[in-house]
Every structure is written in structure tokens, then in C-alpha cells.
């Protein structure tokens, strides 16, 4: 028999750097989940990856157990990494801050 799911939590957590501080702690604590257990499992699965924000979907079950799915990083984070810029332009469409080659864009699209 399948477990009864009581909540689904969507978060952005930096790869290999999950900790009980916000946003992870409050989001999982309100459902009674063991926060440190999630942090250890997440950090183990993302160990060795670039420190970029990863979307994670956490399914929480009635017995306070959980499982999670790690998605690919947002395309904006991949574009900033490829362009080697810290943040995006404050004036979209008016100010160019970097250029990417076609090969770089194709690589991002494949991810």
C-alpha cells in the first residue's frame, strides 16, 4: 500500500550547502520532518556539483518520512555561469553585459 502524502514542498537549495537555516528549516519543520536528515541526504547527492541553486521537490508523508527529486538548475543560473557574471543586468534589453557563443547556448539547452 502506498504511503499517504500530506505535503509537497518546492525549494531552491544550493548544491552541497543545505542547512537547517531558512528556507529549508521552516519549510520542513512545520511538517515535522527531520531537517538534518534531509540536509545530509541532499548534500550527499549533490556533493561535487557546482554550488548553484537547484530546485528540489520534497514529498512529505503522514509518517513524517520524505523523499525528494532534484531538478536541473534554472537556465538563468546556467547562463550567468557560462557568461561569468555575478548578476544579471538591471536594464534588460538596454544594457549588454556579456555575450555567449552558439556552442555555449547549445550546451545549456542540452542540460
Amino acid at each position: 500500500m502506498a504511503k499517504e502524502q500530506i505535503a509537497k514542498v518546492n525549494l531552491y537549495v544550493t548544491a552541497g550547502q543545505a542547512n537547517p537555516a531558512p528556507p529549508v528549516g521552516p519549510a520542513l519543520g512545520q511538517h515535522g520532518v527531520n531537517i538534518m536528515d534531509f540536509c545530509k541526504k541532499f548534500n550527499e547527492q549533490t556533493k561535487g556539483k557546482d554550488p548553484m541553486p537547484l530546485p528540489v521537490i520534497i514529498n512529505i508523508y503522514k509518517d513524517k518520512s520524505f523523499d525528494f527529486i532534484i531538478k536541473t538548475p534554472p537556465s538563468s543560473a546556467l547562463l550567468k555561469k557560462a557568461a561569468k557574471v555575478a548578476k544579471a543586468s538591471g536594464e534588460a534589453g538596454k544594457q549588454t553585459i556579456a555575450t555567449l557563443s552558439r556552442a555555449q547556448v547549445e550546451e545549456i539547452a542540452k542540460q
Side-chain angles (χ1 to χ4, degrees):
M1 188 166 130
K3 295 181 184 180
E4 183 181 342
Q5 182 177 336
I6 59 168
K8 181 184 261 187
V9 179
N10 297 318
L11 296 174
Y12 280 92
V13 183
T14 304
Q17 297 178 3
N19 59 39
V24 176
L28 298 181
Q30 67 183 342
H31 298 292
V33 173
N34 184 340
I35 300 164
M36 283 309 297
D37 189 32
F38 167 77
C39 291
K40 288 177 185 174
K41 288 180 181 179
F42 179 84
N43 289 339
E44 184 65 31
Q45 285 190 15
T46 59
K47 183 173 45 176
K49 291 187 179 181
D50 291 334
M52 64 176 24
L54 297 174
V56 60
I57 299 171
I58 308 161
N59 296 311
I60 303 171
Y61 301 103
K62 193 171 187 175
D63 62 354
K64 307 298 180 202
S65 63
F66 64 91
D67 61 12
F68 59 92
I69 302 167
I70 301 170
K71 301 287 189 172
T72 58
S75 57
S76 59
L78 295 171
L79 288 168
K80 285 192 282 188
K81 179 184 170 201
K84 296 180 176 76
V85 295
K87 64 178 198 167
S89 168
E91 301 174 14
K94 296 179 183 175
Q95 181 183 19
T96 303
I97 59 171
T99 56
L100 297 175
S101 69
R102 182 175 181 91
Q104 288 174 308
V105 175
E106 286 176 0
E107 184 63 32
I108 290 170
K110 288 178 185 176
Q111 288 185 11

